Amino acid sequence: MTPLLVAALVLVALSATLVVCIGDPRRQVVSLAVYGVLLAPLFLLLGAPDVALSQIAVGSAVVPLMVLLAVRVVRKRQRR
């Protein structure tokens, strides 16, 4: 295993732990987006450039946006 791959795996593991440990949903979404961005180079290092491109589009943009919208709707319903 190359040192670059080990570093990428450690960064992904740390960011995944951070996503789980954060309690505030809005901050958790931001850390989820960072986690998605960190996964893309890992996929590139593992030889899957198509998965890396999909991860950049979906994991770092679409999913966090959907979660933010869901949190917004839930909070609006709780206020009523």
Side-chain angles (χ1 to χ4, degrees):
M1 213 182 307
T2 66
L4 192 57
L5 184 59
V6 170
L9 285 169
V10 168
L11 281 173
V12 167
L14 289 175
S15 65
T17 305
L18 185 68
V19 170
V20 172
C21 291
I22 293 177
D24 181 33
R26 288 176 289 182
R27 290 184 182 179
Q28 196 172 29
V29 167
V30 172
S31 63
L32 180 65
V34 171
Y35 173 70
V37 169
L38 289 174
L39 274 175
L42 178 64
F43 290 141
L44 278 175
L45 289 171
L46 294 174
D50 53 339
V51 178
L53 285 172
S54 298
Q55 180 61 34
I56 289 172
V58 175
S60 61
V62 176
V63 171
L65 180 63
M66 289 173 50
V67 172
L68 274 176
L69 291 173
V71 167
R72 185 177 175 189
V73 168
V74 168
R75 288 194 175 168
K76 277 186 179 179
R77 287 185 182 174
Q78 286 178 348
R79 289 181 194 154
R80 292 182 185 174

Short mmCIF file of all heavy atoms in Angstrom, two decimals:
data_model
loop_
_atom_site.label_atom_id
_atom_site.label_comp_id
_atom_site.label_asym_id
_atom_site.label_seq_id
_atom_site.Cartn_x
_atom_site.Cartn_y
_atom_site.Cartn_z
N MET A 1 0.85 -1.17 0.00
CA MET A 1 0.00 0.00 0.00
C MET A 1 0.90 1.24 0.00
O MET A 1 1.83 1.34 0.79
CB MET A 1 -0.91 -0.01 1.23
CG MET A 1 -2.23 0.61 0.93
SD MET A 1 -3.44 0.74 2.27
CE MET A 1 -3.60 -0.85 2.96
N THR A 2 0.58 2.17 -0.85
CA THR A 2 1.40 3.38 -0.95
C THR A 2 1.08 4.34 0.18
O THR A 2 -0.03 4.32 0.73
CB THR A 2 1.16 4.07 -2.30
OG1 THR A 2 -0.19 4.54 -2.34
CG2 THR A 2 1.41 3.13 -3.47
N PRO A 3 2.04 5.19 0.52
CA PRO A 3 1.79 6.18 1.59
C PRO A 3 0.65 7.14 1.24
O PRO A 3 -0.09 7.58 2.12
CB PRO A 3 3.11 6.93 1.71
CG PRO A 3 4.13 6.02 1.14
CD PRO A 3 3.44 5.18 0.11
N LEU A 4 0.50 7.46 -0.05
CA LEU A 4 -0.59 8.34 -0.46
C LEU A 4 -1.95 7.69 -0.22
O LEU A 4 -2.89 8.35 0.25
CB LEU A 4 -0.42 8.70 -1.94
CG LEU A 4 -1.29 9.81 -2.49
CD1 LEU A 4 -1.10 11.09 -1.69
CD2 LEU A 4 -0.99 10.04 -3.94
N LEU A 5 -2.06 6.41 -0.49
CA LEU A 5 -3.30 5.68 -0.25
C LEU A 5 -3.60 5.59 1.24
O LEU A 5 -4.75 5.76 1.66
CB LEU A 5 -3.23 4.29 -0.89
CG LEU A 5 -4.48 3.44 -0.81
CD1 LEU A 5 -5.65 4.13 -1.49
CD2 LEU A 5 -4.22 2.08 -1.43
N VAL A 6 -2.58 5.36 2.03
CA VAL A 6 -2.76 5.30 3.48
C VAL A 6 -3.24 6.65 4.02
O VAL A 6 -4.15 6.71 4.85
CB VAL A 6 -1.46 4.85 4.18
CG1 VAL A 6 -1.57 5.01 5.69
CG2 VAL A 6 -1.11 3.43 3.81
N ALA A 7 -2.64 7.73 3.52
CA ALA A 7 -3.05 9.06 3.95
C ALA A 7 -4.49 9.35 3.57
O ALA A 7 -5.26 9.91 4.36
CB ALA A 7 -2.12 10.11 3.34
N ALA A 8 -4.88 8.95 2.36
CA ALA A 8 -6.26 9.15 1.92
C ALA A 8 -7.23 8.35 2.78
O ALA A 8 -8.30 8.85 3.15
CB ALA A 8 -6.41 8.77 0.45
N LEU A 9 -6.88 7.12 3.10
CA LEU A 9 -7.74 6.29 3.95
C LEU A 9 -7.88 6.89 5.35
O LEU A 9 -8.97 6.88 5.93
CB LEU A 9 -7.19 4.87 4.03
CG LEU A 9 -7.39 3.99 2.80
CD1 LEU A 9 -6.57 2.71 2.92
CD2 LEU A 9 -8.85 3.67 2.62
N VAL A 10 -6.80 7.41 5.89
CA VAL A 10 -6.85 8.02 7.23
C VAL A 10 -7.74 9.26 7.20
O VAL A 10 -8.57 9.47 8.10
CB VAL A 10 -5.43 8.34 7.73
CG1 VAL A 10 -5.47 9.22 8.96
CG2 VAL A 10 -4.67 7.06 8.02
N LEU A 11 -7.59 10.10 6.18
CA LEU A 11 -8.42 11.30 6.07
C LEU A 11 -9.90 10.95 5.94
O LEU A 11 -10.75 11.59 6.56
CB LEU A 11 -7.99 12.15 4.88
CG LEU A 11 -6.76 13.01 5.08
CD1 LEU A 11 -6.35 13.67 3.78
CD2 LEU A 11 -7.01 14.06 6.15
N VAL A 12 -10.20 9.95 5.16
CA VAL A 12 -11.60 9.53 4.99
C VAL A 12 -12.15 8.98 6.30
O VAL A 12 -13.28 9.29 6.69
CB VAL A 12 -11.73 8.50 3.84
CG1 VAL A 12 -13.08 7.82 3.86
CG2 VAL A 12 -11.50 9.19 2.51
N ALA A 13 -11.35 8.20 7.00
CA ALA A 13 -11.80 7.65 8.28
C ALA A 13 -12.04 8.75 9.32
O ALA A 13 -13.03 8.72 10.05
CB ALA A 13 -10.78 6.64 8.81
N LEU A 14 -11.14 9.72 9.36
CA LEU A 14 -11.32 10.83 10.31
C LEU A 14 -12.54 11.68 9.97
O LEU A 14 -13.29 12.08 10.86
CB LEU A 14 -10.06 11.70 10.33
CG LEU A 14 -8.83 11.10 10.99
CD1 LEU A 14 -7.63 12.02 10.82
CD2 LEU A 14 -9.10 10.82 12.45
N SER A 15 -12.74 11.95 8.69
CA SER A 15 -13.89 12.76 8.31
C SER A 15 -15.21 12.01 8.53
O SER A 15 -16.21 12.62 8.90
CB SER A 15 -13.77 13.25 6.87
OG SER A 15 -13.81 12.17 5.98
N ALA A 16 -15.21 10.70 8.33
CA ALA A 16 -16.42 9.91 8.60
C ALA A 16 -16.75 9.93 10.09
O ALA A 16 -17.92 10.06 10.47
CB ALA A 16 -16.23 8.49 8.12
N THR A 17 -15.73 9.84 10.92
CA THR A 17 -15.94 9.92 12.36
C THR A 17 -16.48 11.28 12.76
O THR A 17 -17.37 11.39 13.60
CB THR A 17 -14.62 9.64 13.10
OG1 THR A 17 -14.11 8.38 12.67
CG2 THR A 17 -14.81 9.63 14.60
N LEU A 18 -15.97 12.32 12.13
CA LEU A 18 -16.44 13.67 12.39
C LEU A 18 -17.91 13.84 12.02
O LEU A 18 -18.67 14.45 12.76
CB LEU A 18 -15.58 14.68 11.64
CG LEU A 18 -15.86 16.14 11.89
CD1 LEU A 18 -15.47 16.50 13.33
CD2 LEU A 18 -15.09 17.00 10.91
N VAL A 19 -18.30 13.28 10.88
CA VAL A 19 -19.71 13.36 10.46
C VAL A 19 -20.63 12.73 11.50
O VAL A 19 -21.67 13.28 11.85
CB VAL A 19 -19.91 12.68 9.08
CG1 VAL A 19 -21.39 12.55 8.75
CG2 VAL A 19 -19.20 13.45 7.99
N VAL A 20 -20.21 11.60 12.03
CA VAL A 20 -21.05 10.89 12.99
C VAL A 20 -21.09 11.60 14.34
O VAL A 20 -22.13 11.62 15.00
CB VAL A 20 -20.53 9.44 13.15
CG1 VAL A 20 -21.24 8.72 14.27
CG2 VAL A 20 -20.67 8.68 11.85
N CYS A 21 -19.99 12.23 14.74
CA CYS A 21 -19.91 12.83 16.07
C CYS A 21 -20.56 14.20 16.18
O CYS A 21 -20.83 14.66 17.29
CB CYS A 21 -18.45 12.92 16.50
SG CYS A 21 -17.72 11.31 16.83
N ILE A 22 -20.78 14.87 15.07
CA ILE A 22 -21.37 16.21 15.11
C ILE A 22 -22.87 16.08 15.37
O ILE A 22 -23.55 15.27 14.76
CB ILE A 22 -21.10 16.97 13.80
CG1 ILE A 22 -19.61 17.25 13.67
CG2 ILE A 22 -21.90 18.25 13.72
CD1 ILE A 22 -19.23 17.92 12.40
N GLY A 23 -23.39 16.91 16.27
CA GLY A 23 -24.79 16.82 16.64
C GLY A 23 -25.72 17.74 15.87
O GLY A 23 -26.86 17.39 15.60
N ASP A 24 -25.25 18.92 15.49
CA ASP A 24 -26.08 19.88 14.78
C ASP A 24 -26.25 19.45 13.32
O ASP A 24 -25.26 19.25 12.62
CB ASP A 24 -25.42 21.26 14.84
CG ASP A 24 -26.23 22.33 14.14
OD1 ASP A 24 -27.48 22.24 14.17
OD2 ASP A 24 -25.63 23.26 13.57
N PRO A 25 -27.48 19.29 12.84
CA PRO A 25 -27.69 18.79 11.48
C PRO A 25 -27.07 19.65 10.38
O PRO A 25 -26.54 19.13 9.41
CB PRO A 25 -29.21 18.76 11.33
CG PRO A 25 -29.73 18.68 12.70
CD PRO A 25 -28.75 19.42 13.56
N ARG A 26 -27.09 20.97 10.55
CA ARG A 26 -26.50 21.83 9.51
C ARG A 26 -24.99 21.66 9.43
O ARG A 26 -24.43 21.58 8.35
CB ARG A 26 -26.88 23.28 9.76
CG ARG A 26 -28.35 23.54 9.46
CD ARG A 26 -28.72 24.94 9.79
NE ARG A 26 -28.72 25.06 11.26
CZ ARG A 26 -29.02 26.14 11.92
NH1 ARG A 26 -29.33 27.22 11.29
NH2 ARG A 26 -29.01 26.16 13.24
N ARG A 27 -24.34 21.59 10.56
CA ARG A 27 -22.89 21.36 10.56
C ARG A 27 -22.56 19.95 10.08
O ARG A 27 -21.55 19.73 9.44
CB ARG A 27 -22.33 21.57 11.96
CG ARG A 27 -22.35 23.01 12.37
CD ARG A 27 -21.71 23.21 13.70
NE ARG A 27 -21.80 24.60 14.08
CZ ARG A 27 -21.34 25.08 15.21
NH1 ARG A 27 -20.77 24.28 16.07
NH2 ARG A 27 -21.46 26.36 15.47
N GLN A 28 -23.43 19.03 10.39
CA GLN A 28 -23.22 17.66 9.94
C GLN A 28 -23.30 17.58 8.41
O GLN A 28 -22.55 16.84 7.79
CB GLN A 28 -24.26 16.76 10.58
CG GLN A 28 -23.94 15.30 10.50
CD GLN A 28 -24.92 14.48 11.32
OE1 GLN A 28 -26.07 14.86 11.50
NE2 GLN A 28 -24.47 13.35 11.80
N VAL A 29 -24.17 18.35 7.81
CA VAL A 29 -24.29 18.35 6.35
C VAL A 29 -23.03 18.91 5.71
O VAL A 29 -22.54 18.38 4.70
CB VAL A 29 -25.54 19.15 5.91
CG1 VAL A 29 -25.52 19.43 4.43
CG2 VAL A 29 -26.79 18.40 6.29
N VAL A 30 -22.47 19.95 6.30
CA VAL A 30 -21.22 20.51 5.77
C VAL A 30 -20.10 19.50 5.87
O VAL A 30 -19.32 19.30 4.93
CB VAL A 30 -20.86 21.82 6.50
CG1 VAL A 30 -19.49 22.31 6.09
CG2 VAL A 30 -21.91 22.88 6.24
N SER A 31 -20.01 18.82 7.00
CA SER A 31 -18.97 17.81 7.14
C SER A 31 -19.22 16.61 6.22
O SER A 31 -18.28 15.98 5.75
CB SER A 31 -18.84 17.37 8.59
OG SER A 31 -20.02 16.75 9.04
N LEU A 32 -20.48 16.33 5.92
CA LEU A 32 -20.80 15.28 4.96
C LEU A 32 -20.31 15.65 3.56
O LEU A 32 -19.81 14.80 2.82
CB LEU A 32 -22.30 15.02 4.95
CG LEU A 32 -22.82 13.94 4.00
CD1 LEU A 32 -22.30 12.57 4.40
CD2 LEU A 32 -24.34 13.95 3.98
N ALA A 33 -20.44 16.91 3.21
CA ALA A 33 -19.95 17.37 1.91
C ALA A 33 -18.42 17.26 1.84
O ALA A 33 -17.87 16.84 0.82
CB ALA A 33 -20.39 18.80 1.66
N VAL A 34 -17.75 17.60 2.93
CA VAL A 34 -16.29 17.47 2.98
C VAL A 34 -15.90 16.00 2.86
O VAL A 34 -14.95 15.65 2.16
CB VAL A 34 -15.72 18.09 4.27
CG1 VAL A 34 -14.25 17.76 4.45
CG2 VAL A 34 -15.95 19.59 4.26
N TYR A 35 -16.64 15.14 3.53
CA TYR A 35 -16.40 13.70 3.44
C TYR A 35 -16.54 13.22 2.00
O TYR A 35 -15.73 12.44 1.51
CB TYR A 35 -17.39 12.97 4.36
CG TYR A 35 -17.38 11.48 4.26
CD1 TYR A 35 -16.30 10.75 4.72
CD2 TYR A 35 -18.46 10.79 3.71
CE1 TYR A 35 -16.29 9.37 4.65
CE2 TYR A 35 -18.46 9.42 3.64
CZ TYR A 35 -17.38 8.71 4.10
OH TYR A 35 -17.37 7.35 4.02
N GLY A 36 -17.55 13.72 1.29
CA GLY A 36 -17.73 13.35 -0.11
C GLY A 36 -16.59 13.81 -0.99
O GLY A 36 -16.16 13.10 -1.90
N VAL A 37 -16.08 15.01 -0.70
CA VAL A 37 -14.93 15.52 -1.47
C VAL A 37 -13.68 14.68 -1.18
O VAL A 37 -12.88 14.43 -2.08
CB VAL A 37 -14.70 17.01 -1.14
CG1 VAL A 37 -13.38 17.50 -1.70
CG2 VAL A 37 -15.84 17.84 -1.67
N LEU A 38 -13.51 14.24 0.05
CA LEU A 38 -12.34 13.43 0.39
C LEU A 38 -12.41 12.01 -0.17
O LEU A 38 -11.37 11.37 -0.36
CB LEU A 38 -12.16 13.38 1.91
CG LEU A 38 -11.71 14.67 2.56
CD1 LEU A 38 -11.70 14.52 4.08
CD2 LEU A 38 -10.34 15.09 2.07
N LEU A 39 -13.60 11.54 -0.43
CA LEU A 39 -13.73 10.20 -1.01
C LEU A 39 -13.29 10.16 -2.48
O LEU A 39 -12.79 9.13 -2.94
CB LEU A 39 -15.17 9.72 -0.91
CG LEU A 39 -15.58 9.05 0.38
CD1 LEU A 39 -17.06 8.74 0.36
CD2 LEU A 39 -14.79 7.80 0.63
N ALA A 40 -13.47 11.25 -3.19
CA ALA A 40 -13.15 11.27 -4.62
C ALA A 40 -11.68 10.95 -4.91
O ALA A 40 -11.39 10.09 -5.76
CB ALA A 40 -13.56 12.60 -5.24
N PRO A 41 -10.71 11.60 -4.24
CA PRO A 41 -9.31 11.22 -4.51
C PRO A 41 -9.00 9.77 -4.12
O PRO A 41 -8.17 9.12 -4.76
CB PRO A 41 -8.49 12.18 -3.66
CG PRO A 41 -9.39 13.29 -3.33
CD PRO A 41 -10.78 12.76 -3.38
N LEU A 42 -9.68 9.29 -3.08
CA LEU A 42 -9.48 7.89 -2.70
C LEU A 42 -9.91 6.96 -3.83
O LEU A 42 -9.20 6.01 -4.16
CB LEU A 42 -10.25 7.57 -1.42
CG LEU A 42 -10.17 6.13 -0.93
CD1 LEU A 42 -8.74 5.77 -0.55
CD2 LEU A 42 -11.11 5.91 0.23
N PHE A 43 -11.05 7.24 -4.42
CA PHE A 43 -11.51 6.44 -5.55
C PHE A 43 -10.55 6.54 -6.73
O PHE A 43 -10.34 5.56 -7.44
CB PHE A 43 -12.93 6.83 -5.96
CG PHE A 43 -13.98 6.44 -4.97
CD1 PHE A 43 -15.04 7.28 -4.70
CD2 PHE A 43 -13.92 5.24 -4.29
CE1 PHE A 43 -16.02 6.94 -3.78
CE2 PHE A 43 -14.89 4.88 -3.37
CZ PHE A 43 -15.94 5.73 -3.12
N LEU A 44 -9.99 7.73 -6.95
CA LEU A 44 -9.01 7.88 -8.03
C LEU A 44 -7.77 7.04 -7.76
O LEU A 44 -7.24 6.39 -8.66
CB LEU A 44 -8.61 9.35 -8.19
CG LEU A 44 -9.54 10.22 -9.00
CD1 LEU A 44 -9.07 11.66 -8.97
CD2 LEU A 44 -9.64 9.72 -10.42
N LEU A 45 -7.31 7.05 -6.53
CA LEU A 45 -6.14 6.26 -6.17
C LEU A 45 -6.40 4.76 -6.31
O LEU A 45 -5.49 3.99 -6.59
CB LEU A 45 -5.69 6.57 -4.74
CG LEU A 45 -5.06 7.94 -4.52
CD1 LEU A 45 -4.87 8.20 -3.04
CD2 LEU A 45 -3.74 8.02 -5.26
N LEU A 46 -7.64 4.37 -6.09
CA LEU A 46 -8.00 2.95 -6.21
C LEU A 46 -8.32 2.55 -7.65
O LEU A 46 -8.66 1.40 -7.90
CB LEU A 46 -9.18 2.63 -5.30
CG LEU A 46 -8.88 2.75 -3.80
CD1 LEU A 46 -10.15 2.57 -2.99
CD2 LEU A 46 -7.84 1.73 -3.38
N GLY A 47 -8.22 3.50 -8.58
CA GLY A 47 -8.39 3.19 -9.99
C GLY A 47 -9.81 3.22 -10.49
O GLY A 47 -10.16 2.49 -11.42
N ALA A 48 -10.65 4.03 -9.89
CA ALA A 48 -12.05 4.13 -10.32
C ALA A 48 -12.40 5.59 -10.61
O ALA A 48 -13.10 6.23 -9.81
CB ALA A 48 -12.96 3.55 -9.26
N PRO A 49 -11.93 6.15 -11.73
CA PRO A 49 -12.20 7.56 -12.00
C PRO A 49 -13.68 7.86 -12.24
O PRO A 49 -14.15 8.95 -11.92
CB PRO A 49 -11.37 7.85 -13.25
CG PRO A 49 -11.14 6.54 -13.88
CD PRO A 49 -11.13 5.53 -12.77
N ASP A 50 -14.43 6.90 -12.79
CA ASP A 50 -15.86 7.13 -13.00
C ASP A 50 -16.61 7.25 -11.68
O ASP A 50 -17.49 8.10 -11.52
CB ASP A 50 -16.45 6.02 -13.87
CG ASP A 50 -16.15 4.63 -13.33
OD1 ASP A 50 -15.19 4.50 -12.54
OD2 ASP A 50 -16.87 3.68 -13.70
N VAL A 51 -16.23 6.44 -10.73
CA VAL A 51 -16.85 6.52 -9.40
C VAL A 51 -16.45 7.82 -8.71
O VAL A 51 -17.27 8.43 -8.02
CB VAL A 51 -16.45 5.29 -8.55
CG1 VAL A 51 -17.04 5.38 -7.15
CG2 VAL A 51 -16.88 4.01 -9.23
N ALA A 52 -15.21 8.26 -8.92
CA ALA A 52 -14.76 9.52 -8.32
C ALA A 52 -15.56 10.70 -8.86
O ALA A 52 -15.96 11.58 -8.09
CB ALA A 52 -13.27 9.72 -8.61
N LEU A 53 -15.82 10.72 -10.16
CA LEU A 53 -16.63 11.80 -10.73
C LEU A 53 -18.05 11.77 -10.19
O LEU A 53 -18.64 12.81 -9.88
CB LEU A 53 -16.63 11.71 -12.25
CG LEU A 53 -15.36 12.15 -12.94
CD1 LEU A 53 -15.42 11.83 -14.42
CD2 LEU A 53 -15.13 13.62 -12.73
N SER A 54 -18.62 10.59 -10.10
CA SER A 54 -19.97 10.47 -9.53
C SER A 54 -20.00 10.92 -8.08
O SER A 54 -20.95 11.57 -7.64
CB SER A 54 -20.44 9.02 -9.62
OG SER A 54 -20.51 8.61 -10.95
N GLN A 55 -18.96 10.59 -7.34
CA GLN A 55 -18.90 10.98 -5.93
C GLN A 55 -18.82 12.49 -5.78
O GLN A 55 -19.44 13.07 -4.90
CB GLN A 55 -17.69 10.32 -5.25
CG GLN A 55 -17.54 10.67 -3.80
CD GLN A 55 -18.72 10.25 -2.96
OE1 GLN A 55 -19.34 9.23 -3.21
NE2 GLN A 55 -19.04 11.03 -1.95
N ILE A 56 -18.06 13.14 -6.64
CA ILE A 56 -17.97 14.60 -6.58
C ILE A 56 -19.33 15.22 -6.84
O ILE A 56 -19.77 16.13 -6.12
CB ILE A 56 -16.92 15.12 -7.58
CG1 ILE A 56 -15.52 14.76 -7.09
CG2 ILE A 56 -17.03 16.63 -7.75
CD1 ILE A 56 -14.43 15.04 -8.09
N ALA A 57 -20.03 14.71 -7.84
CA ALA A 57 -21.34 15.29 -8.19
C ALA A 57 -22.39 14.98 -7.15
O ALA A 57 -23.12 15.87 -6.69
CB ALA A 57 -21.77 14.78 -9.56
N VAL A 58 -22.50 13.73 -6.78
CA VAL A 58 -23.59 13.31 -5.90
C VAL A 58 -23.24 13.47 -4.42
O VAL A 58 -23.98 14.07 -3.66
CB VAL A 58 -23.98 11.84 -6.20
CG1 VAL A 58 -25.01 11.34 -5.23
CG2 VAL A 58 -24.46 11.71 -7.63
N GLY A 59 -22.09 12.96 -4.01
CA GLY A 59 -21.74 12.93 -2.60
C GLY A 59 -21.39 14.26 -1.99
O GLY A 59 -21.53 14.44 -0.78
N SER A 60 -20.91 15.18 -2.81
CA SER A 60 -20.51 16.46 -2.23
C SER A 60 -21.46 17.60 -2.60
O SER A 60 -21.29 18.71 -2.10
CB SER A 60 -19.09 16.81 -2.68
OG SER A 60 -19.03 16.92 -4.07
N ALA A 61 -22.44 17.35 -3.44
CA ALA A 61 -23.35 18.43 -3.82
C ALA A 61 -24.83 18.05 -3.65
O ALA A 61 -25.56 18.72 -2.93
CB ALA A 61 -23.09 18.85 -5.27
N VAL A 62 -25.25 16.99 -4.29
CA VAL A 62 -26.68 16.65 -4.32
C VAL A 62 -27.19 16.15 -2.97
O VAL A 62 -28.20 16.64 -2.47
CB VAL A 62 -26.96 15.62 -5.44
CG1 VAL A 62 -28.40 15.19 -5.42
CG2 VAL A 62 -26.58 16.20 -6.79
N VAL A 63 -26.49 15.20 -2.38
CA VAL A 63 -26.95 14.63 -1.11
C VAL A 63 -26.97 15.67 0.01
O VAL A 63 -27.98 15.79 0.72
CB VAL A 63 -26.12 13.38 -0.72
CG1 VAL A 63 -26.44 12.93 0.69
CG2 VAL A 63 -26.37 12.26 -1.71
N PRO A 64 -25.89 16.46 0.20
CA PRO A 64 -25.98 17.49 1.24
C PRO A 64 -27.11 18.50 1.01
O PRO A 64 -27.77 18.93 1.96
CB PRO A 64 -24.61 18.18 1.20
CG PRO A 64 -23.71 17.15 0.66
CD PRO A 64 -24.53 16.38 -0.33
N LEU A 65 -27.34 18.86 -0.24
CA LEU A 65 -28.44 19.78 -0.54
C LEU A 65 -29.79 19.17 -0.17
O LEU A 65 -30.64 19.82 0.43
CB LEU A 65 -28.42 20.17 -2.01
CG LEU A 65 -29.51 21.13 -2.46
CD1 LEU A 65 -29.37 22.47 -1.76
CD2 LEU A 65 -29.46 21.32 -3.96
N MET A 66 -29.99 17.91 -0.50
CA MET A 66 -31.25 17.24 -0.16
C MET A 66 -31.44 17.14 1.35
O MET A 66 -32.55 17.33 1.86
CB MET A 66 -31.29 15.85 -0.80
CG MET A 66 -31.46 15.88 -2.30
SD MET A 66 -31.31 14.27 -3.11
CE MET A 66 -32.39 13.26 -2.17
N VAL A 67 -30.36 16.85 2.07
CA VAL A 67 -30.46 16.74 3.53
C VAL A 67 -30.78 18.11 4.13
O VAL A 67 -31.61 18.21 5.05
CB VAL A 67 -29.17 16.15 4.12
CG1 VAL A 67 -29.18 16.20 5.64
CG2 VAL A 67 -28.98 14.72 3.65
N LEU A 68 -30.14 19.17 3.63
CA LEU A 68 -30.44 20.51 4.13
C LEU A 68 -31.90 20.88 3.90
O LEU A 68 -32.55 21.46 4.77
CB LEU A 68 -29.54 21.54 3.46
CG LEU A 68 -28.19 21.77 4.10
CD1 LEU A 68 -27.37 22.75 3.27
CD2 LEU A 68 -28.33 22.27 5.51
N LEU A 69 -32.42 20.55 2.73
CA LEU A 69 -33.82 20.83 2.45
C LEU A 69 -34.75 20.02 3.36
O LEU A 69 -35.76 20.54 3.83
CB LEU A 69 -34.13 20.55 0.98
CG LEU A 69 -33.49 21.51 -0.03
CD1 LEU A 69 -33.72 21.02 -1.45
CD2 LEU A 69 -34.01 22.91 0.16
N ALA A 70 -34.40 18.78 3.61
CA ALA A 70 -35.21 17.95 4.50
C ALA A 70 -35.20 18.50 5.93
O ALA A 70 -36.23 18.54 6.60
CB ALA A 70 -34.70 16.51 4.49
N VAL A 71 -34.04 18.94 6.40
CA VAL A 71 -33.94 19.52 7.75
C VAL A 71 -34.78 20.79 7.82
O VAL A 71 -35.48 21.03 8.82
CB VAL A 71 -32.46 19.81 8.11
CG1 VAL A 71 -32.36 20.69 9.34
CG2 VAL A 71 -31.71 18.51 8.31
N ARG A 72 -34.77 21.57 6.77
CA ARG A 72 -35.57 22.81 6.74
C ARG A 72 -37.06 22.51 6.83
O ARG A 72 -37.80 23.16 7.57
CB ARG A 72 -35.24 23.56 5.46
CG ARG A 72 -35.91 24.89 5.36
CD ARG A 72 -35.48 25.59 4.11
NE ARG A 72 -36.21 26.83 3.94
CZ ARG A 72 -36.17 27.58 2.88
NH1 ARG A 72 -35.42 27.22 1.86
NH2 ARG A 72 -36.87 28.67 2.80
N VAL A 73 -37.51 21.52 6.08
CA VAL A 73 -38.93 21.16 6.10
C VAL A 73 -39.33 20.63 7.47
O VAL A 73 -40.39 21.00 8.01
CB VAL A 73 -39.23 20.11 5.00
CG1 VAL A 73 -40.61 19.51 5.17
CG2 VAL A 73 -39.09 20.75 3.62
N VAL A 74 -38.50 19.80 8.06
CA VAL A 74 -38.81 19.24 9.37
C VAL A 74 -38.90 20.34 10.42
O VAL A 74 -39.80 20.36 11.27
CB VAL A 74 -37.78 18.17 9.77
CG1 VAL A 74 -37.90 17.79 11.23
CG2 VAL A 74 -37.93 16.94 8.88
N ARG A 75 -37.97 21.28 10.38
CA ARG A 75 -37.99 22.38 11.35
C ARG A 75 -39.21 23.27 11.17
O ARG A 75 -39.76 23.77 12.14
CB ARG A 75 -36.70 23.18 11.27
CG ARG A 75 -35.55 22.40 11.84
CD ARG A 75 -34.37 23.26 12.08
NE ARG A 75 -33.34 22.46 12.75
CZ ARG A 75 -32.09 22.83 12.90
NH1 ARG A 75 -31.72 23.99 12.45
NH2 ARG A 75 -31.25 22.05 13.51
N LYS A 76 -39.63 23.49 9.93
CA LYS A 76 -40.84 24.28 9.69
C LYS A 76 -42.07 23.58 10.27
O LYS A 76 -42.94 24.21 10.85
CB LYS A 76 -41.04 24.53 8.21
CG LYS A 76 -40.27 25.69 7.66
CD LYS A 76 -40.65 25.94 6.22
CE LYS A 76 -39.91 27.11 5.65
NZ LYS A 76 -40.24 27.36 4.25
N ARG A 77 -42.13 22.27 10.10
CA ARG A 77 -43.27 21.51 10.64
C ARG A 77 -43.26 21.49 12.16
O ARG A 77 -44.32 21.46 12.78
CB ARG A 77 -43.27 20.10 10.08
CG ARG A 77 -43.66 20.03 8.65
CD ARG A 77 -43.77 18.64 8.16
NE ARG A 77 -44.11 18.63 6.74
CZ ARG A 77 -44.17 17.55 6.02
NH1 ARG A 77 -43.90 16.37 6.55
NH2 ARG A 77 -44.47 17.62 4.74
N GLN A 78 -42.10 21.48 12.76
CA GLN A 78 -42.01 21.47 14.21
C GLN A 78 -42.47 22.79 14.81
O GLN A 78 -43.01 22.84 15.92
CB GLN A 78 -40.59 21.17 14.67
CG GLN A 78 -40.20 19.73 14.50
CD GLN A 78 -38.76 19.48 14.92
OE1 GLN A 78 -38.00 20.41 15.14
NE2 GLN A 78 -38.40 18.22 15.03
N ARG A 79 -42.27 23.90 14.09
CA ARG A 79 -42.69 25.20 14.57
C ARG A 79 -44.20 25.35 14.57
O ARG A 79 -44.74 26.12 15.34
CB ARG A 79 -42.06 26.30 13.71
CG ARG A 79 -40.59 26.45 13.91
CD ARG A 79 -40.04 27.56 13.06
NE ARG A 79 -38.59 27.48 13.02
CZ ARG A 79 -37.86 27.94 12.05
NH1 ARG A 79 -38.43 28.53 11.01
NH2 ARG A 79 -36.55 27.83 12.09
N ARG A 80 -44.88 24.64 13.69
CA ARG A 80 -46.34 24.76 13.59
C ARG A 80 -47.05 24.06 14.68
O ARG A 80 -46.94 23.38 15.46
CB ARG A 80 -46.83 24.19 12.25
CG ARG A 80 -46.39 25.04 11.10
CD ARG A 80 -46.93 24.47 9.83
NE ARG A 80 -46.40 25.24 8.70
CZ ARG A 80 -46.60 24.91 7.46
NH1 ARG A 80 -47.29 23.83 7.15
NH2 ARG A 80 -46.12 25.62 6.49
#
